[in-house]
Every structure is written in structure tokens, then in C-alpha cells.
Amino acid sequence: MVALSYALVRVVLAILRFAPMPVADVIARLCARAFDIAVPRLRRAAVANLELAGFGPRPGIVDGAFESLARVLVAFAKFPNMNRANIHQWIRYEGFEHYAEAKRQGRGVLFATGHLGNWELSAFAHALLTEPMNVVVRPLDNHLIDSFVERRRALSGNRIIGKRDAARSVLRALKANQAVGVLVDQNSVLSEGIFVDFFGVPACTNRAFARLAARSGAAVIPGFALWSRQERRYVLRFYPPVPFTGEVEQDTQRLHHVIEQVIREYPDQWLWIHRRWKTRPPAAS
């Protein structure tokens, strides 16, 4: 199954890479729809998450989330076709001044991002638009797909940092005044996380990000590649730095408040199929 899954991924990505954009968009939406039908627990998880977060069932948001995944798939497939000359057709900056000021401070930049919009394109494009950065990733279960995905992520010059041994590499990069991107919107196991309010519900969140920010003194900038229907391309939006004080729980809560506000603005671009509230407080078990 490992080799078969890998072969299927390679075939789909190859077709999307060489297909004209209108055709690639249709094929990717069909793939997302097939994924939705083949794995019904994903839609059930999305509906449950929406109700938990106070949105109600909202099937339109769930449909939008799968369409957003289709756009991520197309962009990822076409990474080898992207370069400094054509990247502006895919994405533009907004709020770049926040990044520039953080770089002037000289203590590195921690990009706090999430599964919102196109998290793959945001880091890939930043390397082409400005300079390469470091990206913290969690290894995929299929080692063949994982190796392939890592190679493709690095095509624009980015450096990949494995999540299992990330702390030392992240601190080294920040000390060199480099940028590091971290997905901070994922569920954490009880032993590694703290609970913060997220859409009015306790969400177990890894405490490592806040500790790294406190130890390094790096600027913490929320950043997301958000799809603009008007422009038919993404906007890589950098938000104002979030102040971190060294109080892990308060800092994590402050950051997640910002992330929640952005998701509320673009609810159909967040990965609602992820079981974000899977880990529950001990009293609620």
C-alpha cells in the first residue's frame, strides 16, 4: 500500500503539473470531491467542528474547505513551474512591512501560520519573492510520499526542519536572524500541550512555540496565504507582530485569538476536517 499510494500521488501531481490551469482546477476539484466521498468521516468531523465552534452545520463552509484543499493541491503540483519571474501570477504580499521591521530588529522571525488558505504556497512563494526560510514539518506516515513532499517543498530554496528535533534548529536559525514558519493550529497530545480558548472551546495546543519565542526574543508574525476570488490569486498577508511576554499560556492564548479572528473572516479556507479539539481536558474525559 505504501508504494501504491506513492505511485498514485506521483501520477495525480504529474497530471496537474502539466495540465493547463483551467483543466488542473477541474481535476483537483474532482479529486477533492472523490476524497470527500471516499472518506466520509472527514465531512462528519468538519460538521462537528463547525457546530462546536458555534457556526452550525454550514455545509457551504465544508464544501469551501474541500475546494480550498483542491487549490492547495494544484499549487503544490505546479511548484516546479514556479520561479521569480512568474510567482506574482500566483500570489502577492500584504503587510510586508511587518516582516521587514522584524528583520531589522535582528532576532529572527517566527511565522505563526496554520492550515488556512494555502500554507504550502505561502512558504514556497516567500523564498522566491524575498528570501528562503525555514519550515517546521511533521513527517508523513508514508515515508516515500514524505521524502517526495520534502524535496518539492525545498525547490524554492527553503530549509526543512523535522518536528521531532526542531527546537535546536529553530533557535539556531533565529539567532542567525532567519525566518521560521510553524503550523500552530494543530491538536496536541495532553503531555505536550496546554489548553487555550479557541472559538469558545478549550483546545490543546503545543506549548513549544511560545517557549521558543520567549527564549529567542524573535518577532512573532501571523501570516497566511489567503485566496482572493476577485484577483484569482493568493494574498500572502502578514499581520502585526503578536507581543509575547514569556508567560506561555497567556502568549499562546493571545496568538490563538488572532488566528481565530482570521479564520472567522475566511471560514471556508480553514481545514475543518482536522480534529482540532480531539484532546479534551482531563475533567471532560
Side-chain angles (χ1 to χ4, degrees):
M1 280 300 293
V2 170
L4 181 60
S5 298
Y6 171 69
L8 179 61
V9 167
R10 291 297 302 265
V11 168
V12 170
L13 290 177
I15 292 172
L16 292 176
R17 176 185 176 185
F18 294 107
M21 275 300 298
V23 177
D25 286 339
V26 171
I27 294 173
R29 286 198 299 270
L30 290 173
C31 287
R33 179 59 180 155
F35 191 45
D36 182 12
I37 295 171
V39 192
R41 62 178 174 80
L42 298 177
R43 179 168 287 266
R44 290 197 298 269
V47 171
N49 283 338
L50 282 163
E51 292 181 337
L52 194 64
F55 283 89
R58 302 290 292 275
I61 292 181
V62 182
D63 292 342
F66 278 103
E67 289 178 12
S68 184
L69 271 178
R71 290 192 293 267
V72 172
L73 182 61
V74 170
F76 185 81
K78 292 186 178 292
F79 275 3
N81 303 350
M82 297 181 192
N83 53 54
R84 294 182 185 277
N86 65 21
I87 192 62
H88 292 279
Q89 299 172 16
W90 287 87
I91 196 166
R92 69 170 176 84
Y93 278 124
E94 190 173 287
F96 183 81
E97 65 274 11
H98 301 306
Y99 172 76
E101 176 57 31
K103 289 285 287 185
R104 281 193 290 270
Q105 293 174 8
R107 289 177 293 182
V109 181
L110 274 170
F111 282 131
T113 190
H115 296 88
L116 176 67
N118 198 325
W119 57 93
E120 294 288 353
L121 180 61
S122 61
F124 191 90
H126 181 72
L128 296 175
L129 291 166
T130 302
E131 61 181 353
M133 57 181 287
N134 303 271
V135 183
V136 178
V137 301
R138 175 180 294 172
L140 301 174
D141 294 335
N142 186 316
H143 69 278
L144 294 176
I145 297 177
D146 183 64
S147 297
F148 170 74
V149 168
E150 282 205 10
R151 291 194 301 272
R152 182 153 291 195
R153 284 169 169 161
L155 285 176
S156 63
N158 285 336
R159 296 167 289 273
I160 309 302
I161 298 176
K163 199 162 188 175
R164 289 171 183 164
D165 56 352
R168 184 177 301 177
S169 298
V170 169
L171 290 172
R172 188 184 302 120
L174 295 174
K175 187 176 182 180
N177 197 28
Q178 297 174 7
V180 180
V182 184
L183 290 160
V184 298
D185 64 341
Q186 301 173 88
N187 181 72
S188 178
V189 297
L190 196 59
S191 60
E192 298 177 358
I194 55 174
F195 286 93
V196 296
D197 181 284
F198 193 51
F199 289 93
V201 183
C204 194
T205 305
N206 197 296
R207 61 172 68 90
F209 184 90
R211 287 177 171 173
L212 288 169
R215 183 172 175 181
S216 65
V220 176
I221 297 180
F224 309 94
L226 301 164
W227 178 249
S228 169
R229 288 176 175 80
Q230 292 75 25
E231 298 182 35
R232 303 298 300 174
R233 63 173 173 170
Y234 287 93
V235 177
L236 180 48
R237 185 171 298 156
F238 294 151
Y239 290 80
V242 178
F244 270 50
T245 64
E247 294 291 336
V248 172
E249 185 171 353
Q250 294 178 17
D251 291 342
T252 305
Q253 179 64 77
R254 190 178 300 111
L255 176 60
H256 275 69
H257 175 72
V258 174
I259 294 171
E260 178 183 326
Q261 294 308 307
V262 182
I263 294 172
R264 286 188 180 278
E265 190 175 354
Y266 301 91
D268 59 344
Q269 295 191 39
W270 193 51
L271 195 68
W272 290 98
I273 61 177
H274 167 59
R275 295 181 64 189
R276 178 61 185 92
W277 293 274
K278 177 181 178 181
T279 301
R280 305 309 307 134
S285 299

